[in-house]
Amino acid sequence: MTTASMITATRSRAMKEMHPMLDDFFVRAIVAGAGVALVTGPLGCFIVWRRLAYFGDTLSHAALLGVAMAFLLEIDVTLAVFVVSVLVALSLLWLQRRAGLSSDALLGLLSHSALALGLVALAFMTWVRIDLMGLLFGDILAVSRSDIAAIYAGGAFVLAVLAVIWKPLFAATVSPELAAAEGMHPARANLVFMLLLAIVVAIAMKIVGVLLITALLIVPAATARRFASGPEQMAALSAVFGILAVIGGLFGSLKWDTPSGPTIVVAAMVLFILGLTPIATLATRGGGGK
């Protein structure tokens, strides 16, 4: 081996040692998925407590319309998804006051309309090549270092804001009237919560896709509810179960050559089912979350 080739090999080894984890796409996927699970866990608890699963579906379906707008306007996809999700959430608040329809009817209207508009808009943009399956079901194995940075930066912001509004948001979940009487401004906390959900949908879209985001929000939280003895503990356990689902789903995808996003959701569902077994039931006595 020549001196030049030895120097090149040494530099290559040094570069690999600088980023030993992030050089492997599979480990990058685990790191990214864990970052998303850390955020979806606590937020998912409020979705379970408030019975807002359909609202999560509505925001995730609106994400596809955001993707279409990003390609049309040539702007960042994450930013476009966030903006569209916020507009859908504000539209829901406006329609609740004006349309005279029940919340579930309005959510169904917004959810399917946004999804259909997104698909139609993408179909018209024949000059753009789009991996529709990747958008619908995620492509976690393709995450980059910049994606991971965005996930953890956005996730840290969401968790910080959630910690600030935790008390008024939880009080509004238990009793909006009591929270208002105590001056906790439940309406403001609810609006901030919707904005946080919009951020999470934009962040998580690349991980599990627009059709599976709600599952990552709900299933770990539903699993944690059986083991938690309080709301804070349920939020922490929900994040843990989400991370376990990500790791189990990715290894399952690697072993059986299945799509990564759906396999992560299947792993989360397996954890939920295991939580219903007699042994797990004995362990949950005295717990239960909210």
Side-chain angles (χ1 to χ4, degrees):
M1 181 180 292
T2 63
T3 303
S5 60
M6 290 178 64
I7 293 175
T8 301
T10 302
R11 286 178 178 175
S12 178
R13 285 195 300 270
M15 290 298 293
K16 289 182 179 180
E17 289 173 359
M18 287 175 64
H19 303 285
M21 292 181 63
L22 301 184
D23 282 338
D24 183 78
F25 75 95
F26 188 78
V27 180
R28 285 201 303 270
I30 292 178
V31 173
V36 171
L38 285 172
V39 184
T40 56
L43 283 179
C45 292
F46 282 100
I47 290 179
V48 170
W49 292 334
R50 292 174 162 229
R51 299 175 176 86
L52 289 176
Y54 209 176
F55 177 69
D57 263 336
T58 301
L59 290 186
S60 63
H61 289 176
L64 196 61
L65 179 58
V67 172
M69 296 302 296
F71 284 115
L72 184 63
L73 302 176
E74 297 183 353
I75 59 177
D76 181 72
V77 173
T78 301
L79 176 62
V81 170
F82 170 70
V83 171
V84 170
S85 298
V86 170
L87 290 176
V88 168
L90 294 177
S91 298
L92 174 63
L93 294 176
W94 184 79
L95 287 172
Q96 283 176 334
R97 299 175 182 176
R98 301 260 181 167
L101 294 173
S102 62
S103 294
D104 60 338
L106 292 174
L107 287 171
L109 184 152
L110 289 172
S111 174
H112 296 97
S113 298
L115 180 62
L117 281 172
L119 290 171
V120 170
L122 290 174
F124 273 110
M125 287 184 278
T126 55
W127 64 91
V128 178
R129 296 186 62 183
I130 299 173
D131 179 14
L132 189 58
M133 293 297 290
L135 291 175
L136 294 176
F137 300 107
D139 191 10
I140 190 172
L141 296 178
V143 295
S144 62
R145 295 188 185 95
S146 59
D147 292 327
I148 293 175
I151 288 169
Y152 278 87
F157 173 78
V158 169
L159 290 178
V161 175
L162 184 62
V164 172
I165 67 168
W166 179 274
K167 186 176 180 179
L169 185 61
F170 186 76
T173 302
V174 176
S175 174
E177 295 79 9
L178 183 60
E182 294 184 358
M184 292 186 177
H185 306 289
R188 184 172 61 190
N190 291 337
L191 178 60
V192 174
F193 176 67
M194 289 184 177
L195 295 178
L196 295 182
L197 274 179
I199 295 175
V200 171
V201 167
I203 292 174
M205 181 183 65
K206 191 169 186 177
I207 304 301
V208 291
V210 299
L211 296 184
L212 300 177
I213 292 174
T214 309
L216 198 59
L217 283 164
I218 294 173
V219 181
T223 306
R225 188 171 190 172
R226 292 184 54 80
F227 295 90
S229 59
E232 291 81 9
Q233 187 181 36
M234 179 174 165
L237 285 176
S238 181
V240 171
F241 282 122
I243 293 173
L244 291 177
V246 167
I247 296 173
L250 285 173
F251 276 99
S253 174
L254 183 66
K255 180 177 178 60
W256 293 296
D257 193 25
T258 53
S260 301
T263 308
I264 289 172
V265 178
V266 170
M269 192 63 200
V270 169
L271 289 174
F272 175 77
I273 294 173
L274 290 175
L276 300 177
T277 59
I279 295 177
T281 301
L282 290 175
T284 61
R285 288 181 178 178
K290 177 184 175 294

